[in-house]
Amino acid sequence: MIKNFIKIAYRNLLRNKGISAINITGLAVGMASAILILLWIQNELSYDEFHTNKSRIYEVWNRMPIDGKISCGSHVSDLVARLAEHDLPEVERAVRVDNPNTQLLSVGDKKITQMGSIVDTGFLQMFTFPMLEGDAATALNDPHSIVLTEKTAKALFGNADAMGKTVRIENNENFTVTGIVKDPPDNTRFQFDYLLPWWNKKYGEGQNLGWGDNSTPTYLMLKPNANYASMAPKLKVLKQKYDEEARKIKWELFAYPLSRWRLYSSFTDGVEDSGGRIEFVKLFGIIAGFILLIACINFMNLSTARSEKRAKEVGIRKVVGARKQSLISQFLAESFLIAFLAGCIALVIVQLSLPAYNQLTEKNLSLDFHDVYTWILLIGFVGLTGLLAGSYPAFFLSSFRAVEVLKGTFKKAHALITPRKALVVLQFTFAIILIICTLIVKQQIDYGRNRQTGYDRNNLIYQFMTGDIPKNYAVIKNDLLASGIAKSVTRTNSPLTERWSDGWGQNWEGKDPNDRTSFDRYLADEDLGATAGLKFVEGRDFNLQTYPTDSTGLIINESALKAMKFKNPIGKTVDDLGVKWHIVGVIKDFILTSPYEPTRPLLLCGAKSKFMTFQVLQIKLNGANPTAANLKGAEAIFKKYNPDYPFEYKFVDQAYAQKFDNEQRQGVLAALFAGLTIFISCLGLFGLATYMAENRVKEIGVRKVLGASVAGITTLLSKDFVKLVVISFIIAAPIAWWAMSRWLTDYTYRVSISGWVFAGAGLLSVMIALLTVSFQAIKAALANPAESLRSE
């Protein structure tokens, strides 16, 4: 029976090659698109889910009042970890993980720069990073121990055994390799090339502010049978227990579970909201479902459109004794065969697309064909697609009554609304929504890019102060200026496009005791104004040669001036982090973080800062010289004074452009999905138009004999499809407006949704439909009526 079903299905495919090709192509593209999206979703859902103790692991968060709101932050004081172990009986282990840092690792003459983290000794016992060599319980016990990833060990030692060998870091300290771990997968927040024990965390003078320093990610692992509900109230007041300021403002701590780190972590006024990456996961899931559904709709429409040709087959089968169940099985067998063929082609498309798709999504996605579960899921996916695509045609075709079919009276009058029309409308509704979303995302990106940054990014590069750069800063600066490579050079604590420090608690004359405004902090040497092209409203830039006291000078931006409410700010004193700063200048606001958010109050501190250190060299290249020549000359100078480290510069304008990566990625994906949806929809429309032209060939012949023009016949054949697209636009427009209005609420600086976007999307969709249908319509209209009417 099954063999017979497959044989008949195969013959039907060959008999209708054009329709079969459209069905298989549409399903293949739809299935490939869905598989790629589902791979991305699976990766997002699996983040840090591989840890054996995942259900017991939490991250400690702050909840505190700032700027009149309750704010939440994932970095806390480094004092929390040990106190949590001591004061909270439910906690088995607490681990601190310092922010990753790139350093020079040396073994003999081999030198490589790698990114590593300083962690507490229990890190490898809390988190599951399999040890290839060494013991997770003791690998980080010695202050001079180092754990390498498999990749780093191979890079340093080749195929030799790395255990017990010595690695020198930053040319000043030796560490013994005590463990080798497997390389971290890409679906974890912990990305490192090596690990050092916490004893190597070094604070400069005045940098460790105790409870005032909230810069340390801290994780708790509860005991196996511990009750989270009993632990939470104790953790909530842990900081208040030891810090008077925390008691005064009711600063709280809370434990955030591992399962919510990646996809949620979005808070409004101290309470977790519905935002976060989970919104994108849900959205992508909906898109995957709709793309697959649209491909299945093509199959349904083309199968039911051919119902007249299959009707007599159904009637004869019923007359000779075929039951409805047998007919349903026959038609489902055809859909499963098409789904199988489409699935094979889809896998080829997926494998060919993965490199570009991984580059776009910045992931390392793949299909593991060696895993039996992969095959089970793929077979289930193909089967589900075949069932979804074939169920409606199977029940529709098998429901014909034999008597009516063989008499030729089974045809129904043309209804205003038919399932086929509704399915076409659904296809184009989804396509138009994606077109509108793509246009608005592009508008928002352009809006952010065109916003004034407040500084001059042209010919501005930065280099991190690695190795010997700090001690040779003066001569490097002098050589860059003397050689004409640079017009200006300065040093700062972070790149101009990043905020590495912020906080509240500053004091100034006339401050409201209840004011808890949070300020961004930035450390700068002299000449930052000239190097970055900052615009001064009042006062001047730092100049240590003329004004030695500028080491405790302070430059504030207009937002900070507004917060402090100074009428004459120059010379006013601001107390922050144990230093009394005096204001020497006021600058216009410049964008330090997101171009879509308001600029925050900024304190640009002089060189005397104890809490921040110079870590970045900012260089304004001489625009009179070719950029390549400037960079080649700069590299020679850095190699002279910092020979062990590469010259790894970055253009500030490129770093600023990276701020748009997330929105750019969303826009590209929306455009890609819109294109695929339109392609699949147009395939189905083309098939329907082809079949319609075939069915109405005699009608067209009669009309031409009676004097109908080519344009008139083309309009006659196209107008029904255009009506469906117009209805789709009417449905899609309000849905797209609602969706994008909600998306734009995440941005303080945002575009207003323009009417031309909807008009353009509507016009584009109608033109695409017309181009798709008109080919067949014109072809039918140009046909010789003598050929179609010869049998009459």
Side-chain angles (χ1 to χ4, degrees), residues 494-512:
S494 70
L496 270 170
T497 54
E498 299 177 29
R499 176 187 66 214
W500 286 9
S501 178
D502 65 339
W504 56 276
Q506 297 81 6
N507 286 303
W508 60 84
E509 181 185 337
K511 179 187 176 182
D512 184 338

Side-chain angles (χ1 to χ4, degrees), residues 71-138:
S71 297
C72 295
S74 60
H75 289 31
V76 298
S77 167
D78 72 349
L79 301 174
V80 169
R82 301 289 75 84
L83 289 173
E85 288 179 334
H86 182 269
D87 291 10
L88 309 180
E90 296 84 0
V91 174
E92 178 180 317
R93 178 174 284 108
V95 165
R96 296 165 293 184
V97 180
D98 196 25
N99 297 310
N101 187 28
T102 299
Q103 293 185 298
L104 181 73
L105 275 60
S106 307
V107 174
D109 294 331
K110 186 171 289 184
K111 301 176 188 294
I112 59 173
T113 54
Q114 297 283 272
M115 183 180 68
S117 287
I118 298 175
V119 300
D120 272 321
T121 54
F123 177 82
L124 292 171
Q125 294 168 272
M126 179 182 290
F127 298 104
T128 308
F129 294 102
M131 299 286 293
L132 301 177
E133 294 185 69
D135 183 358
T138 60

Side-chain angles (χ1 to χ4, degrees), residues 297 301 416-429 724 728 731:
I297 285 172
N301 278 342
L416 180 63
I417 300 175
T418 64
R420 195 179 308 145
K421 290 179 179 178
L423 291 174
V424 171
V425 167
L426 179 61
Q427 281 183 311
F428 274 90
T429 296
L724 296 179
S728 299
I731 297 171

